Amino acid sequence: MQPRDLSDHVAYEAGRGIEEVARELGRDPSEFVKLASNENPHGPSPAAVVALREAASSVSSYPKAAHADLTAAVADRWSVTDEQIWLANGGDGALDYLHRATIDPDDTILVPNPGFAYYGMSARFHHGDVREYALEREDDFEQTAETVLDAYDGDRIVFLTSPHNPSGSTIPLADIERIADETDEETLIVVDEAYGEFADRESAVALVEGEGGFDARDDVAVLRTFSKAYGLAGVRLGYAVVPDEWADAYTRVNTPFAASELACRAGLAAIDDDGHVSRTVETTENSRAYMREHIDAHVWESEGNFVLVDVGDASSVAEAMQSRGVIVRDCSSFGLPGCIRITCGTDDETERAVETLNEVLADLDSEDADTTSAEVTDT
């Protein structure tokens, strides 16, 4: 007995954790700082930590009330109905629900390249196929309606990532509206805003609810998460904001109790912890600016809580930085073997990352110069 043919599926490569790296290198975890997974440098919302402690004794019960309460709180935050909020086990869980509600066998989705691998993974789990549109490095990963529409071919779902991972670029709402206007009636535009709190942009929820001069649409959905700005990556909590016409589909596609008691209680506390979010966003803005100013390599403009850096040989640089105690993301898995991604950390973490990267780049340049000199001498 074997599983079905999974040969066209790829494994998701998560950023490596401090404990994992420390064990592998035989070193103390305290020697390392992790800036590889776009986690919150200030940790979880303090209010959420209190809520988690208080909720621990109630985890023997199913989270029906907490689930309903969090749904209502999120709906109130976005001025939509409760039925338009699809809570899930992380943003990727909400993505799964949208695929369940949308994809028939052999339908295609259109995704950015480079981009989040789980878009395609989830589509294939649901017997769909994947097509790509390119965000070009030479164009600074600019996202435009033309880029998407030129690649579009009747796909069932079009994914937009704003801010985009790993580049940090965004797409204007007017372009999203144009994409929705110029694609088929049965095409859903999904805007992944996992890093939305860090961007100086209005959310695409405006297109769903019909605000800011936009008409309410039935062909746009938005993904959001508590993992980043709220610091709740470890409890796995995200949601989709869907058109009102999609309300009934949730009960037919979601898993029983789509978010846990602990996740819902943490989310209820975190959603009102505006101070923690503001502090996180301010730290991110400072970190992005510092890295762009002080890194001795090209750093792309970013509206996420990370920056993408052109280092020439991502694997060598990431490995050298890791050996010096700074864990960053080698973007070879994104199809960018010349780039690393660095999460925005605290002031101290950011300064250490910049200093370490600049030292590594200088050492590699010196090695290249020595090699070139030796080759010339041999000649």
Side-chain angles (χ1 to χ4, degrees):
M1 177 63 187
Q2 298 290 325
R4 67 183 174 95
D5 181 12
L6 299 173
S7 58
D8 64 344
H9 291 248
V10 296
Y12 177 69
E13 297 182 32
R16 305 186 70 200
I18 287 177
E19 293 79 7
E20 176 189 2
V21 172
R23 280 196 302 269
E24 180 181 299
L25 299 179
R27 290 164 59 180
D28 191 307
S30 65
E31 298 178 32
F32 294 89
V33 58
K34 180 188 176 187
L35 299 175
S37 297
N38 300 339
E39 294 156 338
N40 192 311
H42 299 303
S45 153
V49 172
V50 173
L52 284 167
R53 291 196 187 105
E54 293 177 348
S57 62
S58 65
V59 295
S60 57
S61 300
Y62 290 112
K64 193 170 189 338
H67 195 283
D69 290 347
L70 179 57
T71 297
V74 175
D76 183 65
R77 175 60 59 97
W78 292 111
S79 301
V80 297
T81 67
D82 291 9
E83 291 75 20
Q84 290 178 261
I85 302 300
W86 290 11
L87 293 185
N89 180 39
D92 43 3
L95 191 159
D96 282 336
Y97 294 156
L98 289 173
H99 280 154
R100 291 184 194 181
T102 308
I103 293 179
D104 284 320
D106 300 323
D107 279 346
T108 61
I109 68 168
L110 185 64
V111 304
N113 180 22
F116 185 35
Y118 195 72
Y119 299 148
M121 292 170 65
S122 177
R124 292 187 176 102
F125 295 155
H126 295 88
H127 304 285
D129 206 351
V130 183
R131 301 178 59 255
E132 297 179 342
Y133 61 93
L135 298 181
E136 300 291 353
R137 172 174 166 162
E138 294 74 16
D139 296 329
D140 294 327
F141 305 98
E142 182 183 16
Q143 300 189 69
T144 66
E146 287 83 359
T147 299
V148 177
L149 292 170
D150 285 349
Y152 174 75
D153 188 21
D155 307 280
R156 189 70 164 99
I157 300 179
V158 173
F159 278 95
L160 309 173
T161 315
S162 187
H164 172 253
N165 180 21
S167 74
S169 69
T170 56
I171 183 168
L173 289 191
D175 282 50
I176 299 173
E177 183 182 46
R178 180 184 164 193
I179 292 167
D181 282 339
E182 297 186 22
T183 50
D184 294 344
E185 184 176 337
E186 294 303 313
T187 293
L188 176 67
I189 311 303
V190 177
V191 187
D192 184 348
E193 294 182 345
Y195 302 97
E197 287 85 359
F198 304 106
D200 188 18
R201 297 266 182 174
E202 185 179 4
S203 170
V205 173
L207 297 173
V208 180
E209 62 179 331
E211 287 198 352
F214 297 101
D215 294 329
R217 307 194 63 100
D218 64 0
D219 55 357
V220 174
V222 179
L223 296 176
R224 283 267 174 166
T225 182
F226 282 85
S227 294
K228 311 302 181 184
Y230 295 98
L232 299 182
V235 302
R236 310 305 300 125
L237 180 62
Y239 58 92
V241 184
V242 305
D244 189 56
E245 292 82 355
W246 288 61
D248 293 341
Y250 184 52
T251 56
R252 302 174 187 272
V253 299
N254 72 332
T255 56
F257 308 108
S260 74
E261 175 76 12
L262 291 177
C264 289
R265 293 299 175 191
L268 275 165
I271 198 169
D272 290 325
D273 194 349
D274 295 332
H276 184 68
V277 173
S278 296
R279 180 188 181 204
T280 299
V281 171
E282 182 180 4
T283 295
T284 295
E285 292 171 345
N286 292 339
S287 178
R288 288 189 314 220
Y290 186 89
M291 287 192 279
R292 279 186 56 81
E293 182 177 351
H294 292 94
I295 288 176
D296 296 334
H298 179 67
V299 180
W300 277 273
E301 293 268 8
S302 171
E303 292 199 60
N305 68 335
F306 52 85
V307 297
L308 185 69
V309 188
D310 184 358
V311 296
D313 183 346
S315 296
S316 295
V317 170
E319 183 177 351
M321 290 185 71
Q322 179 177 283
S323 71
R324 301 181 191 207
V326 179
I327 305 170
V328 297
R329 185 64 181 263
D330 173 356
C331 287
S332 297
S333 62
F334 286 93
L336 297 170
C339 299
I340 61 170
R341 190 190 67 197
I342 307 176
T343 300
C344 295
T346 62
D347 291 348
D348 288 345
E349 290 171 341
T350 298
E351 290 171 11
R352 180 178 173 186
V354 170
E355 181 181 3
T356 301
L357 174 56
N358 287 343
E359 288 174 354
V360 167
L361 292 173
D363 288 349
L364 291 175
D365 285 344
S366 178
E367 290 174 9
D368 289 342
D370 289 345
T371 300
T372 302
S373 177
E375 290 173 349
V376 170
T377 300
D378 290 343
T379 301

